[in-house]
Amino acid sequence: MLSEDEKYIKRCNELALQGLGNTSPNPLVGSVIVYNNKIIGEGYHKEYGKSHAEVNAIESVRDKSLLKKSTLYVNLEPCSHYGNTPPCADRIVKEGIPEVVIGTKDTSSKVSGKGISILKEGKCKVKVGVLEEQCREINRRFFTFFERKRPYLILKWAQTIDGFIDKKRNADDPIQPNWITNQLSKQLVHKWRTEEAGILVGKNTAVMDNPQLTSREWKGKNPTRFLIYEDLNPPVSLRLINDEFPLTVFRESLKTDKTSQKKDRNKEFIDMDFGQDTEEQILEIIRDKKINSLIIEGGRQTLQKFIDKNLWDEARVFIGKKIFTEGIKAPEINSKKLLNMEDLKETRLYFFRKI
């Protein structure tokens, strides 16, 4: 049974998740304000660049005089620096809120305990570490970005019952995906795209499937798109190149001493050396763009390279009822933990985490 503090932090987490897909690179934060065991205000961080959860919760309280007798709950340490908005810790102190309960500490360099210090210096009673594991889980993208210095990496693919992700293709085969799953699975994938900051595919997937990598089957924003193209110039016939949405292409450079960049309308071409540490180079560039989560959708070669370098955090694997008998084998992951399995009509979806 949850304690009173745990009950209110759980509510903070529920609120925080309503901002999924809209706050990156900021964290998911929810806040509630409690007076006499009753919630009198609540809020969450709705969109990057706009008011934070604590401010929204404070503003929702009708009788502001009650703030001086209330407890503010928040799943992540209040910010302590000026960015697009003023520091939340300063606002809490200014309102005279006497007690603050925090789910977990913010480990980013701009905060990292500074918000807690401001609260204590402002005579607030502070409690930290309530449902901490749950609070870190919903902000796994944020914590990975600052603690591991890279985006949170989600591998995604679909495979047949006999373990193939694609058929063997002939030169005259149509340029389109060989569908293994169903429409419900496709809509779910497009929903995921609205929730993550970026998406990446390799050359073979771009050429053979000719994808758009947008979220057109679900309401929400498109992820920032990335293409690994180990050649000088991808063909303009690719929908990734020929549409109106932004795209960053990592392509082969004749200059192996440094990375160079070129922009062409809404497309950016980054010339790089594919000789060594390619995946690490790519993740560093993506991180510099403040992309804190990345879906890697294929193909097999790209996925396996990230797996072999131990550069992944979770995998979402669809297994359809189709049988190819021969073709391109699905990626292989050894060190993984099954978190969950869902039935999607004729398809099963498995969620794995890296051990």
Side-chain angles (χ1 to χ4, degrees):
M1 186 172 179
L2 295 178
S3 68
E4 285 295 298
D5 285 348
E6 289 172 336
K7 179 176 73 173
Y8 293 127
I9 289 295
K10 182 174 182 289
R11 177 57 181 162
C12 291
N13 284 333
E14 291 169 351
L15 289 166
L17 286 170
Q18 293 184 44
L20 183 60
N22 296 313
T23 67
S24 176
N26 283 356
L28 299 167
V29 185
S31 179
V32 299
I33 298 173
V34 177
Y35 171 72
N36 276 353
N37 298 317
K38 180 181 178 181
I39 294 177
I40 62 171
E42 61 181 28
Y44 67 96
H45 186 29
K46 295 181 179 180
E47 187 177 344
Y48 175 74
K50 295 188 177 180
S51 299
H52 291 185
E54 301 93 321
V55 172
N56 288 334
I58 290 169
E59 294 294 341
S60 74
V61 176
R62 292 184 179 179
D63 185 354
K64 296 293 193 291
S65 68
L66 295 180
L67 290 171
K68 291 180 170 59
K69 309 171 190 177
S70 301
T71 300
L72 183 143
Y73 291 83
V74 63
N75 60 303
L76 185 70
E77 176 184 358
C79 65
S80 56
H81 61 286
Y82 283 88
N84 291 313
T85 60
C88 291
D90 287 352
R91 178 66 183 272
I92 294 168
V93 171
K94 179 182 177 182
E95 296 291 346
I97 298 173
E99 187 170 356
V100 179
V101 178
I102 299 168
T104 188
K105 183 179 176 181
D106 183 338
T107 57
S108 65
S109 58
K110 289 184 178 179
V111 183
S112 192
K114 299 182 184 74
I116 294 170
S117 296
I118 290 172
L119 294 174
K120 289 181 176 179
E121 290 167 4
K123 309 304 179 186
C124 290
K125 180 182 177 183
V126 181
K127 182 177 181 180
V128 184
V130 178
L131 292 184
E132 186 164 12
E133 185 175 342
Q134 184 183 108
C135 293
R136 284 186 60 87
E137 169 66 16
I138 71 163
N139 270 313
R140 58 193 182 275
R141 299 162 182 83
F142 177 77
F143 286 115
T144 297
F145 186 76
F146 285 102
E147 295 174 0
R148 299 184 183 177
K149 311 300 181 187
R150 63 164 174 79
Y152 184 83
L153 301 176
I154 301 168
L155 311 180
K156 171 262 163 185
W157 72 84
Q159 65 182 66
T160 60
I161 293 176
D162 53 347
F164 295 98
I165 65 169
D166 201 356
K167 295 178 180 179
K168 285 187 175 179
R169 303 210 196 189
N170 299 315
D172 57 348
D173 286 342
I175 297 175
Q176 63 183 26
N178 283 312
W179 289 107
I180 295 171
T181 58
N182 52 26
Q183 180 63 24
L184 181 60
S185 303
K186 182 179 180 181
Q187 288 180 326
L188 180 57
V189 169
H190 284 228
K191 176 178 181 290
W192 290 344
R193 290 176 182 176
T194 69
E195 297 171 347
E196 309 304 334
I199 188 168
L200 177 144
V201 296
K203 174 182 175 179
N204 291 340
T205 296
V207 172
M208 301 305 296
D209 293 350
N210 200 12
Q212 292 174 268
L213 303 183
T214 62
S215 307
R216 59 199 178 276
E217 298 276 344
W218 197 267
K219 184 179 179 180
K221 67 175 184 61
N222 292 315
T224 301
R225 305 178 307 166
F226 297 92
L227 167 63
I228 302 175
Y229 199 89
E230 298 183 25
D231 209 335
L232 288 179
N233 287 299
V236 294
S237 59
L238 294 183
R239 290 195 291 184
L240 283 172
I241 298 293
N242 207 23
D243 63 20
E244 73 274 21
F245 300 109
L247 171 73
T248 297
V249 181
F250 302 102
R251 64 182 182 181
E252 184 65 52
S253 173
L254 297 177
K255 304 173 184 178
T256 57
D257 56 335
K258 62 179 180 179
T259 299
S260 60
Q261 300 186 26
K262 176 187 176 184
K263 285 194 174 182
D264 180 11
R265 290 183 298 176
N266 59 352
K267 304 298 186 286
E268 180 180 13
F269 297 89
I270 299 180
D271 298 336
M272 55 182 290
D273 176 16
F274 283 88
Q276 58 183 354
D277 298 328
T278 301
E279 291 70 36
E280 289 86 350
Q281 289 182 67
I282 288 170
L283 291 182
E284 183 177 353
I285 293 168
I286 291 175
R287 183 184 185 278
D288 288 344
K289 293 179 178 292
K290 296 185 178 180
I291 302 295
N292 69 358
S293 65
L294 184 71
I295 302 174
I296 303 174
E297 282 210 7
R300 200 270 182 193
Q301 182 177 333
T302 299
L303 287 161
Q304 195 64 55
K305 283 181 177 179
F306 278 91
I307 292 169
D308 292 345
K309 292 256 183 109
N310 207 29
L311 291 171
W312 68 284
D313 296 291
E314 67 177 82
R316 302 172 183 179
V317 182
F318 294 92
I319 299 184
K321 288 190 174 181
K322 290 187 176 181
I323 296 174
F324 284 173
T325 305
E326 61 178 5
I328 299 173
K329 294 290 289 183
E332 298 178 7
I333 304 177
N334 293 320
S335 183
K336 64 183 185 294
K337 175 185 178 182
L338 178 63
L339 288 184
N340 192 23
M341 187 275 291
E342 295 179 9
D343 276 314
L344 302 171
K345 295 185 178 179
E346 302 84 15
T347 299
R348 282 194 169 180
L349 170 60
Y350 295 85
F351 292 88
F352 298 100
R353 282 282 175 85
K354 183 172 67 174
I355 296 176

